[in-house]
Amino acid sequence: MTNIESYLHELRLCAQAAHQRVGVVVSGDEAWIEAVIDASLATLSPEPMKFTALLGSVSYAQLNGVHYRKGDQLLGQELLTLVYDCRSGFDANSFSAALGALRGGGLLVVIAEPSSMQKELRSKMALSVTKFTYFT
């Protein structure tokens, strides 16, 4: 288990014990971002893809994305992991709807532009998710 996997596993266990959603903000090159997404999925078992969704314009190898303005399409699901790629835009209503699908104890992974957007993201998202961890 890598350091990232270990950290995300412990974070997920704490979130599940408290029945709270937690979030991590990730920015960097595509390889780094994909490594964090893979690590977050590695903390799930037995079927990580069944309880994971991507909100954003970019699809990763293992996740099919829903457009960032279509978060309401995720309602009715019970997600353990929500990956939100906000590099192509942010829609507050869509984001809030998508968070409704994230269960207590779930993990939100926000993919952000490098540090120029992080202050704005912290202020917009701080009300929706209990805690954030920033990886850059």
Side-chain angles (χ1 to χ4, degrees), residues 6-115:
S6 178
Y7 176 77
L8 292 175
H9 179 72
E10 291 297 319
L11 184 64
R12 191 181 293 276
L13 289 176
C14 290
Q16 288 171 347
H19 201 67
Q20 294 181 341
R21 299 174 288 185
V22 294
V24 295
V25 177
V26 182
S27 64
D29 62 38
E30 289 299 314
W32 167 249
I33 291 169
E34 189 125 6
V36 174
I37 292 171
D38 289 343
S40 70
L41 297 177
T43 64
L44 295 173
S45 61
E47 300 177 55
M49 304 314 297
K50 184 176 179 182
F51 302 107
T52 301
L54 169 66
L55 185 63
S57 300
V58 179
S59 288
Y60 291 94
Q62 70 273 34
L63 297 174
N64 292 319
V66 174
H67 191 272
Y68 77 93
R69 290 189 175 150
K70 303 286 183 184
D72 59 333
Q73 292 179 359
L74 299 176
L75 290 174
Q77 298 181 38
E78 289 198 4
L79 302 175
L80 292 173
T81 305
L82 173 62
V83 178
Y84 180 59
D85 187 348
C86 63
R87 294 176 293 178
S88 57
F90 180 80
D91 183 291
N93 290 330
S94 176
F95 179 72
S96 296
L99 278 179
L102 188 62
R103 289 199 275 192
L107 178 65
L108 170 68
V109 178
V110 177
I111 303 169
E113 292 289 340
S115 62

